[in-house]
Amino acid sequence: MRPVSLSLVWTFCLHLLCFCAAEEGLEFPNFDGKDRVLDINEHSYKKALRSFELLCVFYHQPLPTSKGLQKRFQMTELVLELSAQVLEDKDIGFGMVDSEKDAKVAKKLGLEEVGSLYVFKDQRIIEFDGQLSADTLVEFLLDVLEEPVEVINNAMELRAFERMEEDIRLIGYFKGEDLYYKAFQEASERFQPYIKFFAIFDKSVAKHLSLKMNQVHFFEPFMEEAAVLPGRALSEMDIVDFVKQHRRATLRKLRAENMFETWEDHMDGIHIVAFAEEEDPDGYEFLEILKDVARDNTNNPDLSIIWIDPDDFPLLTTYWEKTFKLDLFRPQIGVVNVTDADSVWLDMSDDEDLPTAEELEDWIEDVLSGRVNTEDDDDDDDDDDDDAALDDHHLTHDDDDDDDDY
Amino acid sequence: MRPVSLSLVWTFCLHLLCFCAAEEGLEFPNFDGKDRVLDINEHSYKKALRSFELLCVFYHQPLPTSKGLQKRFQMTELVLELSAQVLEDKDIGFGMVDSEKDAKVAKKLGLEEVGSLYVFKDQRIIEFDGQLSADTLVEFLLDVLEEPVEVINNAMELRAFERMEEDIRLIGYFKGEDLYYKAFQEASERFQPYIKFFAIFDKSVAKHLSLKMNQVHFFEPFMEEAAVLPGRALSEMDIVDFVKQHRRATLRKLRAENMFETWEDHMDGIHIVAFAEEEDPDGYEFLEILKDVARDNTNNPDLSIIWIDPDDFPLLTTYWEKTFKLDLFRPQIGVVNVTDADSVWLDMSDDEDLPTAEELEDWIEDVLSGRVNTEDDDDDDDDDDDDAALDDHHLTHDDDDDDDDY
């Protein structure tokens, strides 16, 4: 297990600098220059898997020949090295697998998507397809280290559970750590850390949720009512199948930890995207309307709205504004074609007057039926009024000639 | 205004790589290699101030001679260059002022702390003393661009306002954009973006908060009751003075945007620090107890607890665990000496049994009276039981010999 040698070994931090010399207690880590990321190959992979509680493997294309791409590659290595350094005491190993040189190992390990990171924990494999920055990766790995099932002990902790409306959550009531609980726990391991699992062992706490013994509730994000899993002595596969079937939520928040995976999971090449800053009064109000719409349409399998809070992605905000021709200081909703980033947006420029849930539902119906789409007026940008659907819904269109190299 | 030349011009992104080639719409910016950060000196500073809506100036020490520090410096330049690129269309300029070479300009501009970033907006100067990463800086600058006063138009927006319990907020009820509103607005500009200002022009909305015409309420973070500013025809200075006097909250959250400023604002070299993950049931419960304590002691000027959510600082989590000898998967509270990072922590290792608000208040009293402190047992680490205060409060102590170079 020879460490991957870094042709560029810098003894400084990546993007975090602390300028406060006087006080102690807030020191961001600097990369110390020590190589920790392993070269995973046929000879080393078994030992690597055995040696760590978690093994985090970056599955990459062969080292590119172009200078620019090589530097990108080195930056990725640095993200992994810094993460490895920060997590050194947590028994987390890091390695790299070359998709050509190590094709056999990749197959044995079950690596599929080049450019993804795979985490091995016990016998399981977890894909990380999120923002490849040290912050996001370290947070993700710390989450994977935690117990996959959290126990809810009292009414206060139940309030914490109820506040996590952005997450897909399952909660079960069990007598103790019996067979049924074990099945629940094993199911939880398959979805960690993306889907959260909670257990209650206390009758009075279970009563708050009207949970019966050995019953499991499934909460879709932003829904007030839980779906009850059919049956009460559930096997691991009962739970796994139910989750797989209900995983794509009617309203789902874009998160750094799996943003690319979410974006890839489009509906026929299209996403309905809503931008709303939750911290902003306007954004909050719009989000509440969106939640109403999602609750009314939770049983529509064709509808999945991606909510993006621009506050979570400061570096993408101006890119989105440019690509979609939007003002993101205000809430927005539109349809985005993921193959060319062409888009159509609902006109909500009247500050005082966000659409009602009904108006939004009408517009969404037009989107789903194809009456509103990103292709219609590609040739007549200045001719919006000719289109009946546009009359009703005040659509704004981004231009198609946005070849800006951003 | 010659751009600061980057001796290392890399045409790749800093720490953000997108590996999803197939779908469009989520492309993180790569630094394009174009120098945008200006060299601010006696000849150029006036023009720079005139040319942009915001001018963001990094006040730095002369280029260091050591290789390691030089690379750090270059990374800082890259953070600024990437931010400048991302914000190019927002009319935000970036510059650097050398504390030796440009000492005169620094004085004219009112730059004080070397290593800080200063933002010039209209005639005002705003200090940024937070995490110097592109994400944090860009988010901060986008906040500074927004209107400093947000208008609350209806009950739904008022709910958004009420949810922002982590922020210091002021809210006033005005007839319209009259003299009193203008005074409020001018006061708001002095604290933007750290302290949030809201205005109501609608009688029925004001009634929800029992706000009288031209009255201003001040909300300390996590407090349910507002403080009413004395008087009803308030001048800008009335408001400014009140905010300055009440700015240090009883319970305040550490945020990336001003983390070093917060950390420097200690009480005689000491911080009471609480770690709690709000997303975690245990952490949430502990935080609710902390809020109770803060509400009970809001009038104690000697008490200010810093709440750190480890989720907000993934790269610091293991550093804190090492420095303070803590397990941050669980809530923690302790006293930290900021001059040497020595610390004492309340023992809460019994999983089921967080301290009550009363027990926490007793412990805090012991801290404030000096009975619990970071110096007491520096010489007798193994002798905790001799100390009466420790008997009561199950203190755990970190060792003093932690010279680990992290």
Side-chain angles (χ1 to χ4, degrees), chain A residues 17 30 72 75-76 321, chain B residues 14 17 30 72 76 90 150:
Chain A
L17 299 172
N30 297 328
R72 268 195 183 218
M75 290 310 278
T76 311
E321 288 190 329
Chain B
L14 214 51
L17 300 171
N30 298 327
R72 267 195 182 217
T76 310
K90 293 284 185 190
E150 282 263 11

Side-chain angles (χ1 to χ4, degrees), chain B residues 172-239:
Chain B
Y173 170 34
F174 305 98
K175 198 166 182 174
E177 300 198 358
D178 56 11
L179 267 182
Y180 304 116
Y181 173 75
K182 288 271 187 272
F184 183 72
Q185 195 183 33
E186 270 159 31
S188 77
E189 289 172 357
R190 301 208 185 201
F191 300 106
Q192 195 191 9
Y194 296 115
I195 293 176
K196 303 219 184 310
F197 281 67
F198 299 86
I200 295 174
F201 298 123
D202 180 302
K203 195 175 172 179
S204 66
V205 180
K207 217 176 152 186
H208 279 290
L209 292 177
S210 313
L211 259 175
K212 299 194 185 86
M213 178 74 75
N214 294 328
Q215 203 177 47
V216 175
H217 282 183
F218 175 95
F219 284 85
E220 191 184 318
F222 308 108
M223 295 300 142
E224 279 156 344
E225 298 292 317
V228 182
L229 271 70
R232 274 173 63 186
L234 297 161
S235 71
E236 180 186 346
M237 286 318 293
D238 290 339
I239 300 169

Side-chain angles (χ1 to χ4, degrees), chain A residues 14-17 24-25 30 72 75-76 86 90 131 150 164 263 279-280 315 318 320-321 338, chain B residues 14-17 24-25 30 72 75-76 86 90 131-132 150 164 263 279-280 315 318 320-321 338:
Chain A
L14 214 50
H15 67 296
L16 304 154
L17 299 172
E24 299 270 327
N30 297 328
R72 268 195 183 218
M75 290 310 278
T76 311
V86 164
K90 293 285 185 188
Q131 182 183 348
E150 282 264 11
M164 300 175 194
W263 202 248
E279 282 273 295
D280 179 85
L315 292 186
T318 54
W320 282 320
E321 288 190 329
V338 298
Chain B
L14 214 51
H15 67 293
L16 304 155
L17 300 171
E24 300 271 328
N30 298 327
R72 267 195 182 217
M75 291 309 279
T76 310
V86 164
K90 293 284 185 190
Q131 183 184 346
L132 204 47
E150 282 263 11
M164 300 176 192
W263 201 249
E279 282 274 295
D280 181 85
L315 293 186
T318 53
W320 281 320
E321 288 190 329
V338 297

